[in-house]
Amino acid sequence: MKTVVVGAVAGGMSAATRLRRLDPTAEIVVFERGEHVSYANCGLPYHVGGVIADRESLLLHTPDSLRARFDLDVRVRAEVVAIDRARQVVRVREIAGGGEYEERYDRLVLSPGAAPFVPDLPGIERAMTLRSVTDADRLTALLAERQPRIAVVAGGGFIGLETAANLRHRGLAVSLVELDRQVLAPLDPEMVPAVHTELRRHGVTLHLGAALTKVLPDAVALADGRLLAADLVVLAIGVRPEVGLARAAGLAIGPRGGIAVDDTMRTRDPNIYAVGDAVEKTDRLSGDTALIPLANTANRQGRLVADAIAGRPVRLDGRLGTAIVQIFDLTVAVTGWNEKRLRAAGRPYQAIHTHPASHAGYYPGAEPMSLKLLFDPADGRILGAQAVGGAGVDKRIDVLATAMRAGLTAGELADLELAYAPAFGSAKDPINMLGYIADNLRTDGQRTVQWHELDDAVTAGATLVDVRTAAEHTAGHIPGSINLPLDELRARLGELPDGDLILYCQVGQRGHTATALLTGLDRRTANLDGGYRTWHAATTGG
């Protein structure tokens, strides 16, 4: 059997190499329109920034090495421009000479990836993108030859922030333009101020709620009329699935704009499969289609499609979209849905905010982090999580993503046996604490109020009570709150006004203790989830 693979990066090359391991005699031909194959495109911003100095370390294989190790016929600078499904052939154009020829297939795997979105704006041809090794080569060459001093990065997503940080690492003055009022759309608004602060602390100027309208020879124009000086302009607005080849061949395109495939990665044509950033996946929480352009999913699809071609039963489960990014000294990670999405979908949820340390506070070097957990209040199903902080963010989001994949409830996080030593965690790990809080909400009858619900609750007559110390209250408090420190609360119960009470402390723990006490005394109380720290971040931007 002859298998032709279109695209030689993550999904396509995973499919080709896995198929070779399954079938030593199969004929496998791989076409790649670019110059490079099997490269680590996630490392490109760090190479541009000089963090990964050796360019060759990003090139995992060459056509020659793939031929030697896997007996793969890999042809670079060869673009598949058409598919004849009836005859089961593809038409290939040689980039260098322009000649064309046909190649027969028994099975065809499409892995064309996604292309950077480039808006149709005046002067946009001066802007650069960063998606391939060729893009990185052009950008590093420009940095070396022209030595620009001022850069504008358009787009505040993962790639935009990595690019901005790495250009700062090279010493450029960097402005970041983002159409939304915040960077990193997967984060809810109360979780993102730390990111804005970190960017500004390292000299990145943020222009939020701003649209790029024109690229000039030495500047960019924004929709509000401002001009930003720019020796260099980098676009990181997002990517779009490369579906032109599939559409021209009459293959189905899904509602999200990607190639439609079933859970075996097969298209509407039984002889054609598709994998990677070009295809639509299934959202694990909703069952709807989604575009999730992540390398781990592309690699997983590549492996599974090889199994399918070899006749093995396969099924790609729904995806959570787990992702992480390093922004200078800050780590940001997400999995599942955020609160904005849940609210827009009208889906019931309960939120928990905590602000733990990366490891035991008494051991030197503990770093702060903020965690947010979202779960179904009826059955405890975990719906999503966000983490922002220093060390330890990565392993917490990975545990939560694994818990979601395993179907654990929020309360069952308390039962996880996680590795503990003072240098690595706490006896009650931050993940365990999320489980304890979820269990409190379910079994103890405690109520919480979210930061965005506070104004309505006070308007309805609730009294805000700050149970922190007098010194903490003086240093900063929520307007209108009265101060009754937790350790004095029993002796001063008579000072509490009638009616509903909303208690808060710095991060929620003392508020929980005070709420338990007063609830036991038949007072109607609620704890401000995440405490003053969450409220302050959400309402003041930090």
Side-chain angles (χ1 to χ4, degrees), residues 395-406:
K395 69 176 180 179
R396 269 67 188 214
I397 209 69
D398 283 344
V399 170
L400 290 169
T402 303
M404 292 179 71
R405 177 66 179 79

Side-chain angles (χ1 to χ4, degrees), residues 404-435:
M404 292 179 71
R405 177 66 179 79
L408 299 184
T409 66
E412 287 173 326
L413 296 175
D415 287 327
L416 294 180
E417 296 181 76
L418 302 174
Y420 160 63
F424 302 99
S426 300
K428 294 179 181 178
D429 190 86
I431 296 297
N432 297 137
M433 289 304 300
L434 291 172

Side-chain angles (χ1 to χ4, degrees), residues 12-35:
M13 197 49 65
S14 292
T17 54
R18 170 67 174 171
L19 186 58
R20 170 58 71 228
R21 288 190 289 268
L22 294 175
D23 186 351
T25 65
E27 184 179 0
I28 305 171
V29 180
V30 183
F31 292 104
E32 169 57 50
R33 67 184 175 189
E35 300 179 29

Side-chain angles (χ1 to χ4, degrees), residues 124-136:
I124 200 68
E125 62 277 0
R126 186 168 81 85
M128 307 189 77
T129 58
L130 186 54
R131 181 71 178 174
S132 66
V133 174
T134 300
D135 291 339

